[in-house]
Amino acid sequence: MPARTSSKTVARSISTKSSKKAVAPPKKAGKPSKLAKAGKAVAKASKAVAKAGKAVAKASKAVVKKAAPKKKAPALKAYDAAAVKATAKASEKWAKEELAQITSKMPLRRKQFVTDSGIPIPDLTTLADRKDEQLERIGLPGQFPFTRGTQPTMYRGRLWTMRQFAGFGTPADTNKRFKYLISHGMTGLSTAFDMPALMGYDADHSMSRGEVGKEGVAISSLRDFEILFDGIQLDKVTTSMTINASAIVALCMYIAVGEKQGIPMSKLAGTIQNDMLKEYIAQKEWIVAPRPAVRIVTDMIEFCTKNMPKWYPVSISGYHIREAGATAVQELAFTLADGIGYVEECVKRGMDVDAFAPQLSFFWDVHNDFFEEIAKFRAARRIWANVLRYRFGAKNPRSWQLKTHAQTAGVSLTAQQPYNNVVRTALQAMAAVLGGTQSLHTNSLDETYALPTEESVTIALRTQQLIAHESGVDRVVDPLAGSYYVEYLTDEMEKRAMEYIRRIDEMGGIIRAVEEQYPQKEIGESAYRFQREVEQGDRLIVGVNAFKSEKDAPIELLHIDDKVAEEQKARLAQVKAERNNEAVQAALAKVEAAARGTDNMMPPVLEAVKAYATLGEICDVFRKVWGQYREGGAF
């Protein structure tokens, strides 16, 4: 997993204290004081909120029974007008007196406080700032628009899935790591593949030299997948596979292994990343051009919808967009735009949105700006619910739900003072949980140097377990709902993300925007601004440009022996010698025919995999039909 030596600092809003002046009791009965009037107004507001809450609960039940009403009922305001007015007046007084007095003696540390995405942070957020708050926009957990989470019970019913990225060396090496992590409480397998596999090359290709097994597990044929999952019953685990350009080959290999274990594909549960649009935007691992690549993604969505009800055929990924230098708002906007693009392609094919949308999933980065990251999860769920329901006419509530995995920010890890990375990861993991993720991976402290050791990956897993079992956050559903600041950030992120999405729609959709390199240019600008802030000292990163140490203590690193490549090439040669090469060529011919036509690509690729055609051979067919993609420069 790529990691860089820069990180974002948590934006801190200045804390404010209420006035400590004592209020003298009235000497005799008379007209009610202003404080008493305000108290009555707040009490009245509380009754109104309780009444409105009942109305929202009743309306939410109706939503499940009857989707997409033709006419919306009048929006219910969350706060009483009198209480809002009283609070606004009190806040104005506070700013002129207490705040002005303290800042005249001790100026603020900055002229303006903003989030890492540049959203202004007010001196104080109060009920008055939420005067237009609509209860239906916040909703209730498990109900449209899912701002407060996709499940009514959230972690009180079931904890998030704890995943740790595993994949290095030979398939046997990674199989051993899988079993180690399962024995230490990991509840889902997460597979990293090496660069040759990601780019569609076998271990014996000249382009693979020096890269075999180095940043993930080396995979060339079905034989490698058989070793990778040896002794692991695939109907007893959920598996996530981080692979994109050659994802169709990896999924077919997984299906074939399941069949060898006597498990039909309908029983397999898991996710394959398979998000090609974000590859062109950010990660840059591709084989063919965007349009044929998206065609393959659509084929996989269609196939899984019909044959693999427990499988998520695409994980629409903001993670790599953020790691490339995007802000949280850009990550939110471009990721949802990618999702919209995939839905549009499926609908064009004549697929029912309610048939495939429940099997779409998302993948977010979790960076250092604690509250902004929480707000991002909440805004993402609300935007997606509205887009699927009103733009695409989805009627099934499961189609409206944004299901998501999250991973702490690799780009925030630093090579300097690497043990600081444990703290960074813990803060980011807590933000993901408070944001309502369904699945989480926590990075290891040594990932700026190498793939993680067993010791460091155990600490990363223990971080999740401590949050789950000792912090108490698992006991309450969406504890930050109603926070004036969190709701403010949620609204701001939604507004700014929707502006990006509107621009992309005007360009003709996300595929066209990617071809014109619009998201790429926007991310490049943000990455430049961030690095300039670091170099100028406007953004402090502990251990990098602030609080530096003269010498960092050495840490143990995982080293991949170069013998891995030789072992992989030897096994690949054996596979080619033992297989039926006539069957392989016949199967590859069917893959080519499907690529040149309109048939779904999954069946012929599955047949080729079972005949032990290699990953590189199948991807060479893609190159033959559609050509090798090269990206032009963007400035």
Side-chain angles (χ1 to χ4, degrees):
M1 181 184 61
R4 304 176 186 175
T5 57
S6 63
S7 70
K8 295 191 176 183
T9 55
V10 177
R12 286 170 275 182
S13 58
I14 187 164
S15 62
T16 56
K17 297 182 180 180
S18 59
S19 173
K20 294 184 179 179
K21 294 179 181 179
V23 179
K27 294 181 180 179
K28 60 181 181 178
K31 292 183 178 180
S33 66
K34 291 182 178 179
L35 184 62
K37 288 181 177 179
K40 288 182 179 179
V42 171
K44 183 179 178 182
S46 298
K47 290 180 180 178
V49 169
K51 184 178 180 181
K54 291 180 181 178
V56 170
K58 185 177 179 181
S60 299
K61 289 180 181 177
V63 163
V64 177
K65 294 180 180 178
K66 185 177 180 181
K70 294 182 180 179
K71 188 176 181 181
K72 288 186 178 180
L76 292 167
K77 294 295 179 67
Y79 300 112
D80 178 76
V84 169
K85 187 176 181 180
T87 304
K89 189 174 182 179
S91 299
E92 186 179 349
K93 183 175 182 292
W94 169 86
K96 290 179 179 178
E97 296 179 3
E98 280 83 359
L99 182 61
Q101 183 180 6
I102 192 67
T103 53
S104 67
K105 298 177 181 178
M106 184 174 63
L108 300 179
R109 292 182 296 107
R110 301 176 187 176
K111 290 183 179 179
Q112 184 184 26
F113 287 83
V114 297
T115 69
D116 283 352
S117 292
I119 299 172
I121 301 174
D123 291 321
L124 180 69
T125 50
T126 69
L127 180 153
D129 299 298
R130 310 303 304 158
K131 63 183 179 182
D132 296 322
E133 189 81 272
Q134 297 176 10
L135 289 175
E136 65 178 19
R137 282 175 55 75
I138 299 176
L140 296 171
Q143 294 181 352
F144 184 88
F146 306 102
T147 310
R148 300 196 62 185
T150 57
Q151 299 298 325
T153 58
M154 291 304 288
Y155 308 132
R156 297 177 76 162
R158 177 184 176 184
L159 290 173
W160 62 93
T161 300
M162 299 180 193
R163 297 188 184 276
Q164 290 305 124
F165 215 25
F168 67 94
T170 66
D173 293 331
T174 298
N175 176 267
K176 182 180 177 182
R177 177 65 66 86
F178 278 160
K179 291 174 180 176
Y180 171 83
L181 290 169
I182 290 170
S183 71
H184 282 71
M186 190 176 74
T187 55
L189 303 180
S190 188
T191 315
F193 296 89
D194 69 0
M195 185 58 72
L198 297 175
M199 300 298 291
Y201 295 111
D202 290 332
D204 61 355
H205 196 283
S206 60
M207 289 291 288
S208 303
R209 191 173 300 149
E211 293 289 343
V212 177
K214 291 296 177 72
E215 67 173 50
V217 63
I219 293 294
S220 295
S221 74
L222 177 57
R223 182 71 51 81
D224 293 323
F225 253 72
E226 292 165 356
I227 298 169
L228 181 62
F229 293 101
D230 181 53
I232 300 172
Q233 280 296 110
L234 298 190
D235 58 345
K236 305 297 182 185
V237 296
T238 63
T239 301
S240 172
M241 293 189 283
T242 302
I243 190 166
N244 296 276
S246 53
I248 190 170
V249 183
L251 179 57
C252 287
M253 289 181 178
Y254 193 79
I255 292 170
V257 171
E259 289 182 0
K260 285 177 177 288
Q261 293 183 0
I263 303 165
M265 66 178 78
S266 61
K267 299 292 184 183
L268 298 176
T271 305
I272 193 160
Q273 194 165 103
N274 193 32
D275 177 8
M276 281 310 301
L277 286 171
K278 70 94 174 52
E279 291 297 324
Y280 303 100
I281 293 173
Q283 188 163 240
K284 312 300 183 183
E285 293 167 3
W286 51 60
I287 297 173
V288 298
R291 292 186 187 273
V294 171
R295 177 259 172 106
I296 296 174
V297 174
T298 310
D299 281 352
M300 294 173 70
I301 295 172
E302 183 179 42
F303 182 88
C304 291
T305 299
K306 294 176 180 177
N307 302 286
M308 303 179 73
K310 295 183 177 182
W311 194 268
Y312 291 96
V314 59
S315 178
I316 305 159
S317 304
Y319 188 86
H320 312 84
I321 292 171
R322 189 65 175 280
E323 295 285 292
T327 65
V329 167
Q330 289 172 334
E331 177 194 0
L332 177 64
F334 298 146
T335 306
L336 293 175
D338 286 348
I340 291 169
Y342 293 128
V343 173
E344 286 176 336
E345 291 303 306
C346 290
V347 169
K348 285 178 188 175
R349 190 172 286 196
M351 297 172 64
D352 178 4
V353 67
D354 282 319
F356 68 84
Q359 285 177 253
L360 302 179
S361 67
F362 286 80
F363 175 24
W364 302 109
D365 192 291
V366 196
H367 220 293
N368 284 334
D369 193 333
F370 190 76
F371 291 108
E372 186 173 64
E373 293 303 310
I374 294 167
K376 180 181 71 184
F377 283 85
R378 305 175 87 251
R381 286 192 294 268
R382 189 158 72 202
I383 294 172
W384 188 248
N386 279 287
V387 166
L388 265 291
R389 186 177 184 183
Y390 297 115
R391 177 167 173 168
F392 292 106
K395 296 177 175 61
N396 183 350
R398 289 186 62 238
S399 300
W400 308 335
Q401 295 178 352
L402 183 146
K403 283 80 66 176
T404 191
H405 173 63
Q407 181 174 334
T408 56
V411 74
S412 74
L413 304 179
T414 64
Q416 301 90 333
Q417 301 177 23
Y419 288 102
N420 293 345
N421 295 331
V422 176
V423 183
R424 292 186 179 103
T425 295
L427 287 169
Q428 293 163 7
M430 180 65 87
V433 171
L434 289 173
T437 190
Q438 283 82 56
S439 174
L440 179 62
H441 164 90
T442 35
N443 291 330
S444 300
L445 66 94
D446 52 0
E447 290 191 58
T448 51
Y449 291 101
L451 294 170
T453 62
E454 284 190 356
E455 181 182 10
S456 65
V457 82
T458 302
I459 293 172
L461 178 58
R462 294 287 182 260
T463 301
Q464 293 199 51
Q465 291 165 340
L466 284 164
I467 292 172
H469 301 292
E470 296 189 24
S471 71
V473 296
D474 63 305
R475 303 168 201 168
V476 59
V477 178
D478 190 26
L480 296 180
S483 158
Y484 304 136
Y485 180 54
V486 170
E487 299 297 355
Y488 161 75
L489 279 184
T490 302
D491 287 355
E492 283 293 315
M493 295 199 75
E494 179 182 14
K495 179 178 70 176
R496 292 161 189 253
M498 288 304 298
E499 177 59 26
Y500 268 119
I501 291 171
R502 182 189 62 77
R503 281 184 233 162
I504 289 168
D505 284 341
E506 290 174 350
M507 295 176 71
I510 188 62
I511 298 178
R512 184 61 184 157
V514 166
E515 290 172 337
E516 294 184 10
Q517 300 190 43
Y518 169 66
Q520 296 93 309
K521 293 173 185 176
E522 290 291 305
I523 294 169
E525 285 291 329
S526 296
Y528 171 74
R529 283 195 298 270
F530 179 91
Q531 189 59 32
R532 185 176 61 184
E533 290 171 4
V534 173
E535 293 177 2
Q536 293 178 345
D538 296 328
R539 182 184 295 274
L540 300 185
I541 300 174
V542 175
V544 177
N545 65 348
F547 313 109
K548 295 186 284 186
S549 299
E550 292 296 324
K551 187 178 180 181
D552 288 333
I555 60 173
E556 182 183 352
L557 298 178
L558 177 69
H559 294 281
I560 307 299
D561 198 309
D562 288 336
K563 292 180 181 178
V564 167
E566 297 308 315
E567 181 180 334
Q568 283 300 108
K569 287 191 282 187
R571 181 163 48 252
L572 180 57
Q574 184 180 7
V575 167
K576 289 181 177 180
E578 294 176 351
R579 69 188 185 180
N580 182 334
N581 284 299
E582 288 184 5
V584 169
Q585 293 306 314
L588 291 175
K590 291 179 182 178
V591 172
E592 182 176 344
R596 295 189 184 281
T598 58
D599 289 347
N600 192 295
M601 297 285 291
M602 279 290 293
V605 172
L606 181 57
E607 181 181 339
V609 161
K610 290 179 180 179
Y612 288 88
T614 69
L615 178 145
E617 289 171 335
I618 294 169
C619 292
D620 281 343
V621 173
F622 302 158
R623 295 183 183 95
K624 178 182 178 181
V625 174
W626 293 306
Q628 176 78 48
Y629 179 67
R630 294 283 187 272
E631 182 183 53
F635 300 96

